[in-house]
Amino acid sequence: MKQSKTFIPTLREVPADADVKSHQLLLRAGFIRQSTSGVYSYLPLGKKVLANIEKIVREEMDAVGGNEVLLPALQQAELWQESGRWEHYGPELIRLKDRHNRDFALGPTHEEVITALVRDEVKSYKKLPLTLYQIQTKFRDEKRPRFGLLRGREFIMKDAYSFHATQESLDETYDDMVQAYKNIFTRLGLNFRAVIADSGSIGGKDTHEFMVLSEIGEDTIAYSDTSDYAANIEMAEVKVDYSAPDVDMTELQKVETPDQKTIEDVAAFLEVPASNIVKTLVFKVDEELVVVLARGDHEVNDIKLKHALDAETAELATDEEIVELLGSHIGSLGPIKLPVGVKVVADHAIKSIRNGVAGANEDGYHYTGVNPGRDFAVDAYEDIRFIQVGDPSPDGEGTIKFAEGIEVGHVFKLGTKYSEALNGMFLDENGRNQPFIMGCYGIGVSRVMAAVAEQYQDAYGFTWPQQVTPYDVHLITVNTKDDAQNELSEDLYKLLTSYRYDVLHDDRKERAGVKFADSDLIGLPVRVTVGKKAVDGIVEVKVRQTGETFEWAKEELIDRLN
Ligand code: ATP
Ligand code: MG
Ligand code: MG
Ligand code: MG
């Protein structure tokens, strides 16, 4: 491709509204442009990177028996009503009406559509298992679209769905998919971990996330420093049982803490570490009250809790709202007993508190001797994986560390959730009608592009790895007024192309400085510069990732590049 004929609008300045490296450089190097909040255009270089990622994804999906399809983005509301998600999906679902006033959604995911499709076509166990996948634009009206392609409102996802007659068959495909995902992210050169996604289920065999380790990641994972163990430490959602026995107040001591308003005040006054104080807060998020249990000291926990609640807009509930919802069961702080159905989130550190302090639902008083799990009438405590830095790893190998991660993939065993809701049935070997057993498997293809972009760059620009680079070689003619340089460039362009190198030839009538700066930004793995030594048939070759340079004769080039 001649650079004079393509569309690579590079920028010299760092765009003001881009706050992470990948977003900044994808804009600066002319790979993408924002159209509106969370919505992007992929320019020629960006499109090529996407295509490379998609190619790897397709190869690995095909290798585990996936069949590619393309499902509609425009989805009738009836399907979503059948599954119950028309009501429950919330404001991320983009809804619209057609000219006949019928309701539709733009697909954020495709369980409904695919279950309905397979339901109508597959009636017998003989046609199972079946794995279908697609690479398609998804729509989610994210509350806070940000970090460029990392969290868009329109983005590209690979989503696969598998249908099975037996649990064993699902387990087998699930394991194949996990391996395929590992292959994909390894081939993409990403520094990733497969993590147990559901911190609420012991063992976590039924859902895994694939996390690229990155300081800008929005998830936190706990991992063993010596084994493969890793888990997402998302806030655990806790089930509350109203019938749980009353708190045994005899273990608690009510102490006077006059005028001690903040956690730090209380801690200092009672001479206990702030980390031993249980904080109970009630937030209002999208009109829903959420009870948050957190350990006192951790600024980090506060941030995480806000994060878990997506709580830039979450406000502390007013006393009236709390009383209205919870009756007299809760004050602003204190050992609590919550009605069933109230959403409670707890931070992972709370379980470690022994004989802590909590508010007494009475101004100027606190309880000491508080033990979460006993004094908080929360029945599901034992099921939650509470992990802290330095804990022994649950698999018995190594010590727990924390890292931030970008969720690039997610695999689930869905079971019969959607087949039952949408009446997706088949006849089993014994002639009995059974719901399909299903799995679903997603990869954020455009998010992966940003994750690779985040990992592969230096002070000058991108340092694309071979598998995803938009072109293999950047051929630069330093002075396009020089016949020898033009001629040698043309020769090399043909030669390299004949050896299947994908070449971007900078044949523009620009100053050398501009060409080199753009070339650094774009970051192709190899740069071949045709300059003054063209008369002798010599070129300069620079390896982008290492910065090594060589002077090679035209005749040596192909051999040495290989
Ligand atoms: P997140 O926790 O980041 O919101 P999710 O858990 O809602 O993601 P899934 O429903 O598991 O996402 O979708 C499968 C994959 O699609 C995710 O693992 C992620 O890679 C990608 N993805 C999800 N939301 C977005 C988005 N807004 N922009 C880009 N990619 C996304
Ligand atoms: Mg999401
Ligand atoms: Mg997620
Ligand atoms: Mg997910």
Side-chain angles (χ1 to χ4, degrees):
M1 174 56 74
K2 304 290 181 191
Q3 209 163 328
S4 60
K5 295 198 167 59
T6 184
F7 179 44
I8 308 176
T10 55
L11 305 168
R12 286 290 161 259
E13 304 295 322
V14 178
D17 49 353
D19 38 16
V20 295
K21 300 188 296 184
S22 53
H23 189 199
Q24 291 171 352
L25 203 49
L26 285 169
L27 290 169
R28 282 184 66 205
F31 284 62
I32 61 169
R33 281 295 182 269
Q34 180 175 308
S35 178
T36 185
S37 170
V39 180
Y40 291 85
S41 299
Y42 299 86
L43 309 189
L45 292 179
K47 182 72 175 77
K48 283 181 76 99
V49 171
L50 265 186
N52 291 337
I53 295 168
E54 290 176 6
K55 179 167 179 283
I56 291 174
V57 170
R58 285 195 171 92
E59 285 172 6
E60 296 294 340
M61 285 299 105
D62 293 348
V64 292
N67 299 273
E68 187 168 359
V69 293
L70 185 55
L71 302 170
L74 190 61
Q75 306 181 357
Q76 65 274 36
E78 286 80 3
L79 286 179
W80 288 77
Q81 283 153 356
E82 274 184 69
S83 74
R85 287 207 288 187
W86 185 255
E87 233 180 283
H88 290 118
Y89 205 91
E92 262 183 39
L93 186 65
I94 297 186
R95 297 155 208 255
L96 59 158
K97 285 185 189 291
D98 72 2
R99 64 168 73 197
H100 307 295
N101 213 29
R102 287 170 49 199
D103 286 314
F104 286 82
L106 293 179
T109 176
H110 279 68
E111 285 82 3
E112 282 82 356
V113 169
I114 199 131
T115 306
L117 175 74
V118 173
R119 160 187 79 190
D120 295 342
E121 306 302 330
V122 176
K123 309 282 186 195
S124 159
Y125 74 95
K126 290 178 196 153
K127 301 234 173 97
L128 300 173
L130 176 67
T131 302
L132 303 174
Y133 77 93
Q134 62 170 344
I135 295 177
Q136 194 216 26
T137 300
K138 295 280 190 274
F139 299 86
R140 293 184 185 181
D141 198 357
E142 298 277 353
K143 189 184 273 176
R144 275 178 291 149
R146 59 182 160 171
F147 299 165
L149 299 182
L150 282 173
R151 186 170 297 284
R153 296 197 297 168
E154 174 177 324
F155 60 97
I156 299 169
M157 198 202 286
K158 184 286 297 177
D159 46 328
Y161 305 87
S162 67
F163 296 81
H164 307 268
T166 64
Q167 182 66 34
E168 296 71 51
S169 169
L170 169 62
D171 292 348
E172 215 172 281
T173 297
Y174 185 88
D175 291 346
D176 286 350
M177 279 288 178
V178 167
Q179 188 54 50
Y181 273 44
K182 288 181 180 167
N183 297 348
I184 289 167
F185 298 123
T186 303
R187 288 177 65 184
L188 289 168
L190 287 167
N191 180 15
F192 74 98
R193 300 285 292 232
V195 317
I196 299 166
D198 185 359
S199 51
S201 81
I202 295 273
K205 290 195 306 296
D206 296 340
T207 168
H208 287 83
E209 286 165 340
F210 290 79
M211 292 284 180
V212 168
L213 302 187
S214 162
E215 61 196 2
I216 62 156
E218 297 183 76
D219 289 88
T220 303
I221 62 173
Y223 66 97
S224 160
D225 56 358
T226 58
S227 76
D228 276 346
Y229 178 85
N232 192 332
I233 57 160
E234 252 170 356
M235 294 302 125
E237 218 177 287
V238 186
K239 282 199 212 81
V240 175
D241 179 7
Y242 192 28
S243 64
D246 281 327
V247 173
D248 178 5
M249 293 294 183
T250 57
E251 303 278 339
L252 304 174
Q253 238 190 327
K254 196 168 171 184
V255 294
E256 211 177 336
T257 50
D259 302 325
Q260 311 302 319
K261 296 291 179 214
T262 68
I263 287 198
E264 289 69 28
D265 291 345
V266 175
F269 185 78
L270 295 177
E271 296 179 341
V272 297
S275 59
N276 231 28
I277 296 186
V278 185
K279 193 155 77 174
T280 310
L281 296 168
V282 184
F283 279 98
K284 196 169 158 201
V285 187
D286 293 334
E287 297 304 306
E288 186 191 12
L289 291 193
V290 180
V291 178
V292 173
L293 304 177
R295 209 169 69 158
D297 67 332
H298 257 242
E299 221 175 292
V300 184
N301 277 336
D302 281 349
I303 294 165
K304 289 223 175 92
L305 288 168
K306 288 210 161 179
H307 209 106
L309 298 173
D310 208 0
E312 226 160 60
T313 57
E315 299 159 24
L316 279 176
T318 63
D319 286 350
E320 292 79 53
E321 284 166 338
I322 296 170
V323 169
E324 196 186 315
L325 184 89
L326 305 174
S328 56
H329 295 296
I330 184 168
S332 56
L333 279 171
I336 47 168
K337 186 172 165 183
L338 299 167
V340 181
V342 174
K343 186 167 169 183
V344 181
V345 297
D347 84 47
H348 54 89
I350 209 158
K351 185 76 182 293
S352 62
I353 294 177
R354 295 284 168 272
N355 294 322
V357 174
N361 294 344
E362 197 178 327
D363 240 3
Y365 288 90
H366 278 80
Y367 285 114
T368 59
V370 171
N371 285 286
R374 184 194 68 191
D375 302 330
F376 293 88
V378 175
D379 76 335
Y381 257 115
E382 296 310 322
D383 289 344
I384 302 165
R385 198 183 280 286
F386 291 93
I387 295 179
Q388 292 189 80
V389 175
D391 282 354
S393 174
D395 68 354
E397 289 179 53
T399 310
I400 289 298
K401 293 211 160 107
F402 280 9
E404 309 303 318
I406 300 170
E407 180 191 327
V408 286
H410 199 166
V411 294
F412 275 103
K413 291 181 190 172
L414 291 170
T416 55
K417 179 170 172 199
Y418 291 93
S419 47
E420 275 179 26
L422 286 120
N423 201 29
M425 311 289 278
F426 68 97
L427 285 177
D428 72 9
E429 271 175 303
N430 306 314
R432 270 194 302 257
N433 230 0
Q434 305 277 6
F436 298 117
I437 301 173
M438 291 172 59
C440 76
Y441 319 90
I443 289 182
V445 171
S446 48
R447 182 180 283 186
V448 162
M449 173 168 160
V452 177
E454 191 72 23
Q455 192 178 317
Y456 286 94
Q457 57 172 277
D458 63 16
Y460 305 101
F462 285 121
T463 57
W464 294 109
Q466 200 63 56
Q467 325 74 263
V468 294
T469 184
Y471 291 93
D472 303 314
V473 175
H474 209 166
L475 176 66
I476 294 181
T477 310
V478 175
N479 181 0
T480 51
K481 288 182 191 136
D482 182 317
D483 287 343
Q485 290 188 28
N486 284 334
E487 218 170 283
L488 181 57
S489 300
E490 271 314 309
D491 281 357
L492 289 177
Y493 185 80
K494 285 191 193 124
L495 181 71
L496 287 162
T497 309
S498 74
Y499 277 88
R500 297 190 166 272
Y501 286 98
D502 201 2
V503 182
L504 179 64
H505 178 196
D506 195 347
D507 60 339
R508 295 175 301 165
K509 298 179 175 56
E510 291 281 356
R511 285 182 295 109
V514 171
K515 293 187 177 189
F516 289 127
D518 279 351
S519 174
D520 281 338
L521 272 182
I522 294 168
L524 306 181
V526 173
R527 177 198 293 171
V528 175
T529 305
V530 180
K532 287 208 177 90
K533 291 188 180 167
V535 280
D536 307 318
I538 291 182
V539 295
E540 187 199 84
V541 176
K542 183 172 180 183
V543 181
R544 180 68 181 82
Q545 283 193 354
T546 61
E548 289 166 286
T549 57
F550 308 94
E551 284 201 343
W552 290 339
K554 174 188 156 185
E555 294 73 28
E556 310 176 89
L557 186 65
I558 293 296
D559 273 353
R560 293 200 179 246
L561 277 182
N562 288 332

